[in-house]
């Protein structure tokens, strides 16, 4: 992922990764909200089929135009924690390996680094993640059942006070699994796609190359991670029913969704997910590459 043979300090890698992710999130947050609403639409006795446009229109009609940015504070905190950690860990280990061996890791090496980076980032980012899921899904509930968090910090305080501090890590398991899948698919495929594009002699190390590699990476990421993502979403948004959780765990969600809503419902929200992941991947990696170049130009 390095844009130069010059070494970027580990702290700068973490900071640049977080800034890149936060900038991308500010653009694609409405698609994340639509994806969450679609993934939760089939809960209950009645299976609800909605597409991206009808879901988006419903949110704006019933909750107002600005409602599409509900949960933005949680999304930004998630990027500040999760993305900062995962991209920082990935870039640091990647550069450490390349500086030591003189060549980038092979595909298996990239995947291994991505798994470690994803798991670390997911654990750090889970409190912001559960706040984001709850805030973006709140508007679909009857008024009397809404949690009504005013911002991410209000959500974190209330969750801790009302449900216990460990609830901040509810769904940590599927969140980590999803992050590992996403990072293997996204980070490793991006690095591999970029390397192959540069080797083809049809691309230079510029925005065109970064864009093409990002779109390839975004599609692979969407296909690979959606089933785990819907499990994570439903576990983190669930409430206690008669003192018991709605779902027992990831496999319970996957089995029940497949049985009650159909196997392809595991990819429910594919369009907004890819519409979010594709541009988010593009914007994140383009921003990261450009921020690295700016850092190197400024520091040298």
């Amino acid at each position: 992922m390095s844009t130069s043979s010059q070494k970027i300090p580990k702290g700068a890698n973490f900071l640049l990764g977080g800034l890149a992710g936060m900038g991308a999130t500010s653009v694609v947050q409405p698609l994340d909200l639509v994806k969450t609403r679609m993934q939760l639409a089939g809960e209950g006795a009645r299976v609800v089929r909605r597409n991206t446009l009808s879901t988006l229109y419903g949110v704006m009609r019933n909750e107002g135009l600005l409602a599409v940015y509900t949960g933005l504070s949680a999304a930004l905190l998630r990027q500040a924690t999760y993305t900062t950690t995962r991209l920082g860990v990935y870039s640091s280990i990647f550069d450490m390996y390349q500086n030591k061996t003189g060549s980038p890791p092979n595909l298996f090496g990239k995947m291994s680094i991505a798994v470690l980076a994803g798991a670390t980032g997911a654990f750090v980012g889970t409190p912001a993640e559960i706040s984001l899921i709850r805030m973006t899904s709140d508007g679909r509930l009857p008024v009397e059942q809404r949690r009504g968090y005013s911002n991410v910090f209000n959500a974190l305080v209330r969750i801790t006070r009302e449900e216990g501090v460990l609830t901040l890590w509810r769904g940590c398991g599927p969140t980590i699994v999803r992050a590992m899948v996403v990072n293997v698919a996204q980070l490793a495929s991006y690095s591999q796609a970029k390397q192959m594009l540069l080797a083809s002699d049809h691309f230079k190390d510029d925005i065109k190359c970064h864009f093409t590699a990002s779109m390839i990476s975004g599609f692979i990421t969407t296909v690979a991670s959606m089933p785990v993502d819907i499990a994570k979403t439903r576990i983190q948004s669930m409430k206690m029913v008669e003192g018991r959780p709605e779902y027992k765990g990831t496999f319970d969600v996957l089995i029940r969704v497949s049985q009650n809503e159909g196997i392809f419902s595991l990819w429910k929200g594919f369009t907004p997910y890819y519409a979010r992941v594709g541009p988010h991947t593009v914007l994140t990696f383009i921003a990261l590459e450009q921020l690295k170049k700016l850092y190197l130009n400024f520091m040298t």
Side-chain angles (χ1 to χ4, degrees):
M1 289 178 63
S2 294
T3 59
S4 169
S5 59
Q6 295 172 274
K7 183 178 179 181
I8 297 178
K10 292 180 182 179
N13 269 325
F14 279 69
L15 177 61
L16 296 178
L19 289 174
M22 292 174 73
T25 292
S26 299
V27 177
V28 303
Q29 172 62 15
L31 293 168
D32 198 40
L33 181 141
V34 171
K35 182 266 298 181
T36 299
R37 295 290 180 90
M38 290 180 70
Q39 289 183 330
L40 295 171
E43 287 191 307
R46 185 165 59 93
V47 176
V48 180
R49 307 277 183 194
R50 290 179 180 167
N51 60 37
T52 303
L53 292 178
S54 66
T55 302
L56 183 61
Y57 174 72
V59 171
M60 292 189 295
R61 181 190 61 194
N62 299 325
E63 303 169 46
L65 291 176
L66 294 181
V68 296
Y69 273 95
T70 298
L72 179 60
S73 63
L76 292 175
L77 181 61
R78 177 183 180 274
Q79 293 301 320
T81 53
Y82 168 68
T83 301
T84 298
T85 302
R86 76 182 181 105
L87 290 181
V89 169
Y90 186 87
S91 295
S92 296
I93 299 177
F94 188 102
D95 290 344
M96 188 186 306
Y97 181 95
Q98 184 166 268
N99 292 334
K100 185 176 181 179
T101 64
S103 61
N106 58 24
L107 180 58
F108 179 78
K110 294 186 184 84
M111 291 173 66
S112 300
I113 297 171
V115 166
L116 177 60
T120 306
F123 182 81
V124 173
T126 295
E129 180 81 34
I130 194 171
S131 301
L132 173 62
I133 293 298
R134 290 188 175 192
M135 292 176 74
T136 53
S137 64
D138 212 32
R140 61 182 281 275
L141 299 172
V143 175
E144 66 275 8
Q145 294 181 22
R146 294 178 185 176
R147 295 180 170 101
Y149 301 135
S150 57
N151 55 60
V152 65
F153 300 108
N154 176 250
L156 294 172
V157 170
R158 284 184 51 193
I159 290 171
T160 302
R161 185 175 64 236
E162 297 168 11
E163 304 172 58
V165 68
L166 293 182
T167 304
L168 293 174
W169 278 271
R170 176 183 290 170
C172 186
T175 301
I176 288 177
V177 172
R178 173 192 174 277
M180 291 166 69
V181 172
V182 165
N183 277 269
V184 167
Q186 187 183 67
L187 296 177
S189 64
Y190 175 81
S191 294
Q192 192 68 19
K194 179 184 171 186
Q195 190 174 321
M196 292 174 67
L197 290 171
L198 291 174
S200 70
D201 295 327
H202 296 297
F203 290 85
K204 297 179 180 179
D205 192 0
D206 54 16
I207 290 181
K208 178 185 175 182
C209 175
H210 304 160
F211 176 85
T212 304
S214 295
M215 291 306 295
I216 294 170
S217 174
F219 182 80
I220 294 171
T221 300
T222 301
V223 174
S225 65
M226 279 213 72
V228 185
D229 189 72
I230 195 171
K232 175 194 70 66
T233 296
R234 295 205 175 180
I235 288 172
Q236 292 184 325
S237 67
M238 70 181 178
K239 292 187 175 182
M240 303 297 285
V241 179
E242 297 180 352
R244 302 177 66 180
E246 293 179 71
Y247 298 104
K248 298 176 182 177
T250 302
F251 290 107
D252 184 43
V253 176
L254 298 178
I255 292 170
R256 287 169 58 180
V257 169
S258 300
Q259 291 177 340
N260 300 331
E261 304 168 44
I263 186 70
F264 290 108
S265 290
L266 294 175
W267 283 269
K268 183 183 292 182
F270 182 93
T271 300
Y273 191 95
Y274 180 60
R276 173 194 176 277
V277 169
H280 193 277
T281 304
V282 170
L283 292 169
T284 298
F285 282 119
I286 287 178
L288 183 59
E289 297 280 3
Q290 299 308 308
L291 285 170
K292 284 186 174 183
K293 287 182 178 180
L294 286 173
Y295 176 88
L296 291 172
N297 289 336
F298 178 77
M299 295 301 292
T300 56

